[in-house]
Amino acid sequence: MFQINENYQQLNESYLFSTISKKISAYAAAHPDAKIIRMGIGDVTLPLSPAVIEALHKSVDEMGAKATFRGYGPEQGYDFLREKIAGTDFQRRGINIAADEIFVSDGAKSDTGNIGDILGEDNSVAITDPVYPVYLDTNIMRIGQGDKIHFLASNAANNFLPEIPSRKIDVVYLCYPNNPTGTVMKKAELKKWVEYAREHESLILFDAAYEAFITESDVPHSIFEIEGAEICAIEFRSFSKNAGFTGLRCSYTVVPKALKAKNGKGEKISLHALWKRRQSTKYNETPYIVQRGAEAVYSPEGQKETKALVAYYMENAKTIRNGLEQKGWTVYGGINAPYIWVQCPAGTGDSWGFFDRLLNECLVVGTPGVGFGKNGEGYFRFSSFNSHENTREAVERIKNWKY
Ligand code: PLP
């Protein structure tokens, strides 16, 4: 008999959001008239901006004309997009990242999940807890639970800044602004992680999917703002949350050319070359049309419209944060991120207990903190991806909630 990858059996039975969706469906079936407000999954609600739509239409027409039709694209993405990314997201901020260090992809989920393909199985891996579940699950799929995966507690006691490990860890996942806690790592703190990685020859996998939501000036937008990070870090970015590409799919990963690791013979191997080899073997590029849409994000109108999308959600974040604070709850995040992380108030139960009561008594859905890891127990995540009207109504319902 053939064998399966038994590591899959070590995964939690169902993905967090499928469990939530089953609970909502069951409630909705029993209460068909209930107006449930969903502040759970981090999916955007506003449509793509006009500049993006115009670029998509134009490129669709190009694909229908003999002279401008395109087949397979270049393996790292089209230059027109990579140059805009390098210029706008990095060089304009004084960060020395070149267009050829950028790999365009179909999602930060794919890339953060696939990056393990180029890393050895014996690496020790550190993941913050709570965490975006993809890092943990994809590591379990690849190397199993075992003793190689270490959890870095991120909680109120350490101000959601996990302690730097006292021992050597080979690969560390960091996500800032953070999903799920909405908290950030300021420059001085991130600098310590870069120093740690350089000292121990470790790799930092830095997920900056929420970079566009940063409002405070001392919060780094990229790990490459920290001197020396180019020899110890890979960064993941996405067009999903800032520009509404969750359904369109486009992201990019920065693998600096200076990033090297030693092979078994002690020879220095370029991770850029390995990732290029991996992508060109297993991925046939993000569609041309989508890359043209992403390029439009960098046009003057695109920049203005994208900022307006982000501002819209951040207005919701403020409504949630202020409303819940006025109720006397302990609230984190929501200043540089679209997520608000709330300590479940006394008397409301644990994360799932709070979820059930909020659904049943306020008809509001969020995400139980424990779904993101053990340290998330007793916490709850609200997402600001919703309309102003729904957000205000949900907050009002919660404010009037007697629990
Ligand atoms: N990284 C983090 C931290 C996320 O929260 C998400 C989506 O929720 C992603 C990556 C996925 O982004 P994408 O839509 O580009 O796959």
Side-chain angles (χ1 to χ4, degrees):
M1 184 79 199
F2 64 87
Q3 292 173 355
I4 57 160
N5 177 347
E6 296 208 15
N7 292 336
Y8 276 65
Q9 297 191 298
Q10 299 174 14
L11 294 167
N12 279 341
E13 199 181 308
S14 97
Y15 189 65
L16 172 64
F17 293 105
S18 359
T19 312
I20 292 176
S21 141
K22 273 188 213 144
K23 280 184 177 257
I24 303 172
S25 304
Y27 185 87
H31 307 86
D33 296 328
K35 191 196 166 206
I36 299 171
I37 301 179
R38 294 162 194 252
M39 300 163 89
I41 192 161
D43 196 0
V44 295
T45 52
L46 293 172
L48 293 162
S49 76
V52 171
I53 290 295
E54 193 186 324
L56 292 174
H57 280 301
K58 189 163 166 264
S59 54
V60 167
D61 288 340
E62 284 179 59
M63 293 296 266
K66 224 175 185 175
T68 47
F69 167 78
R70 315 258 181 152
Y72 290 129
E75 55 202 9
Q76 271 185 251
Y78 284 97
D79 285 346
F80 62 74
L81 176 56
R82 292 159 72 218
E83 274 158 19
K84 292 272 165 45
I85 292 171
T88 314
D89 291 347
F90 297 98
Q91 292 157 10
R92 191 184 51 120
R93 291 185 181 277
I95 306 168
N96 190 17
I97 290 293
D100 64 356
E101 294 176 298
I102 286 153
F103 292 80
V104 176
S105 180
D106 66 349
K109 188 179 206 170
S110 327
D111 284 8
T112 52
N114 291 330
I115 197 74
D117 275 14
I118 64 166
L119 303 174
E121 289 183 7
D122 289 333
N123 286 319
S124 49
V125 177
I127 295 176
T128 59
D129 173 359
V131 76
Y132 174 55
V134 172
Y135 317 144
L136 175 61
D137 286 356
T138 55
N139 271 283
I140 294 175
M141 287 172 181
R142 201 169 62 84
I143 59 176
Q145 281 274 14
D147 54 2
K148 289 177 218 136
I149 303 178
H150 303 264
F151 294 96
L152 307 172
S154 174
N155 49 38
N158 57 27
N159 215 11
F160 299 97
L161 294 174
E163 245 174 67
I164 296 194
S166 49
R167 49 164 288 188
K168 173 176 158 50
I169 297 282
D170 299 307
V171 179
V172 182
Y173 288 79
L174 294 179
C175 170
Y176 291 98
N178 188 256
N179 177 14
T181 65
T183 55
V184 290
M185 193 175 266
K186 301 225 165 146
K187 236 180 198 157
E189 195 61 30
L190 189 55
K191 189 165 178 279
K192 288 187 209 157
W193 279 97
V194 169
E195 281 162 8
Y196 170 87
R198 289 177 60 114
E199 184 190 334
H200 293 90
E201 298 187 305
S202 313
L203 172 67
I204 299 176
L205 298 174
F206 191 75
D207 187 342
Y210 295 98
E211 165 277 331
F213 294 83
I214 294 171
T215 58
E216 292 178 319
S217 60
D218 52 350
V219 179
H221 288 250
S222 164
I223 194 166
F224 301 117
E225 283 180 42
I226 311 294
E227 211 182 303
E230 69 285 353
I231 65 162
C232 65
I234 289 175
E235 181 165 303
F236 305 93
R237 295 272 190 111
S238 173
F239 293 94
S240 281
K241 309 298 167 94
N242 60 336
F245 275 54
T246 52
L248 198 58
R249 312 304 300 143
C250 195
S251 68
Y252 67 86
T253 291
V254 185
V255 189
K257 291 201 158 162
L259 178 61
K260 308 254 163 74
K262 289 195 199 108
N263 67 8
K265 294 184 215 149
E267 298 157 339
K268 287 201 161 176
I269 306 295
S270 153
L271 268 82
H272 184 277
L274 295 187
W275 187 241
K276 187 167 179 170
R277 187 75 175 84
R278 191 267 170 213
Q279 289 298 82
S280 54
T281 302
K282 291 196 182 180
Y283 186 59
N284 252 342
E285 262 315 306
T286 311
Y288 171 70
I289 295 165
V290 174
Q291 293 195 54
R292 279 295 186 199
E295 181 196 23
V297 168
Y298 295 98
S299 68
E301 312 76 59
Q303 288 283 284
K304 215 161 71 196
E305 291 163 4
T306 307
K307 283 198 176 84
L309 293 177
V310 169
Y312 185 92
Y313 296 127
M314 289 311 280
E315 174 81 32
N316 287 342
K318 199 164 153 193
T319 304
I320 302 168
R321 213 188 134 92
N322 290 349
L324 302 187
E325 266 177 352
Q326 279 163 21
K327 199 170 169 67
W329 290 4
T330 306
V331 175
Y332 303 92
I335 294 171
N336 297 292
Y339 298 121
I340 293 87
W341 187 245
V342 172
Q343 193 178 353
C344 303
T348 56
D350 60 8
S351 288
W352 277 110
F354 183 88
F355 174 92
D356 290 330
R357 286 197 62 184
L358 198 69
L359 172 60
N360 281 277
E361 296 169 40
C362 300
L363 308 184
V364 172
V365 174
T367 311
V370 72
F372 299 100
K374 184 162 93 231
N375 273 272
E377 183 55 280
Y379 288 89
F380 201 76
R381 189 193 77 174
F382 287 99
S383 151
S384 52
F385 294 118
N386 214 316
S387 66
H388 286 338
E389 298 72 27
N390 278 348
T391 305
R392 280 196 293 261
E393 186 173 339
V395 170
E396 272 317 299
R397 287 185 197 172
I398 296 171
K399 276 169 118 180
N400 296 324
W401 184 27
K402 311 252 182 311
Y403 48 86

